[in-house]
Amino acid sequence: MKRKQFESLKNNGIENIYKLISNYVEIDELEWEYCCNSFKSTFFPKKSILLNQNEICSKIFFVAGGLLRIYYTDEKGEEKTFHFCLEGTFGVDYESFLKNIPSSFSIQAVEDTLVIEVTFEMLQTLYSTVRNGEKLGRLITEDYFFILNDKIKAFYMHSPLERYETMNAKFPTLLQRVPQYHIASYLNISSVHLSRLKYASKIKNTPND
């Protein structure tokens, strides 16, 4: 996605968030018209920082097009990738967003990315205005919890190869869109180990003659 395409993608971005909300709850025409007037589309060029670690996360970023990376910087100054947010999903540090406290993570655009920004105040208004608004908030919170839970379980219960194959199942286009060092960081392995896993997975999934 290039900056010159931004204007032409604005409406498509709104339609994408409509599809996302509809996956969670039913929303009628009047409710959707109200939502459209509240949403803001923002274009972020590749490598832009949407949120810095230790800043308060004041927005939920719904990805209409492009790709976001959620990561943190450790005490050695090394970046550790926590999660990827593709089209039709959202990026946020939900604890920071809800509690108005400094974020544990940074959020970066891995590609040119179009997002729909939703502030805390907008979300509260959505809850009170949209018939299923509170249910929408609860389901988004549950999804965020599942992301955290899956990440913790993967580190303690799954081998690196299992984590790699789960990633491919969840994000089938990721290997073509993201630098290998970000993927290695996401899997908590070295780039060399990632190359070995790619080979091992290929051999494992190649049918025998």
Side-chain angles (χ1 to χ4, degrees), residues 59-203:
K59 301 171 184 175
I60 299 177
F61 301 101
F62 290 94
V63 182
L67 175 63
L68 300 179
R69 177 175 72 105
I70 300 178
Y71 68 97
Y72 67 94
T73 304
D74 66 15
E75 64 279 358
K76 296 180 181 178
E78 297 179 356
E79 293 181 1
K80 305 292 185 180
T81 299
F82 177 77
H83 188 59
F84 295 104
C85 312
L86 280 71
E87 295 90 349
T89 65
F90 59 90
V92 65
D93 181 337
Y94 217 47
E95 182 178 24
S96 172
F97 180 79
L98 292 177
K99 295 182 178 179
N100 199 39
I101 60 176
S103 174
S104 300
F105 301 99
S106 296
I107 301 179
Q108 181 185 43
V110 180
E111 303 173 342
D112 291 341
T113 301
L114 180 68
V115 302
I116 309 299
E117 299 179 355
V118 178
T119 66
F120 182 82
E121 292 75 18
M122 288 167 59
L123 193 61
Q124 298 307 306
T125 303
L126 196 66
Y127 290 167
S128 61
T129 306
V130 176
R131 174 171 34 105
N132 293 311
E134 291 189 1
K135 180 181 179 182
L136 172 64
R138 175 173 57 80
L139 293 175
I140 290 175
T141 302
E142 288 177 358
D143 269 3
Y144 189 77
F145 167 78
F146 292 140
I147 290 171
L148 293 172
N149 190 56
D150 289 347
K151 190 74 173 181
I152 293 170
K153 286 197 302 183
F155 281 132
Y156 286 99
M157 302 175 66
H158 300 159
S159 69
L161 180 58
E162 288 172 330
R163 295 202 296 271
Y164 173 78
E165 294 187 332
T166 297
M167 178 196 73
N168 282 336
K170 186 181 295 184
F171 308 120
T173 64
L174 203 62
L175 286 172
Q176 291 74 47
R177 300 174 66 179
V178 177
Q180 298 299 290
Y181 61 91
H182 285 332
I183 291 177
S185 174
Y186 172 74
L187 296 172
N188 198 32
I189 58 177
S190 68
S191 295
V192 172
H193 195 176
L194 175 59
S195 295
R196 293 172 182 160
L197 288 182
K198 291 167 72 174
Y199 178 75
S201 180
K202 181 179 180 180
I203 294 299

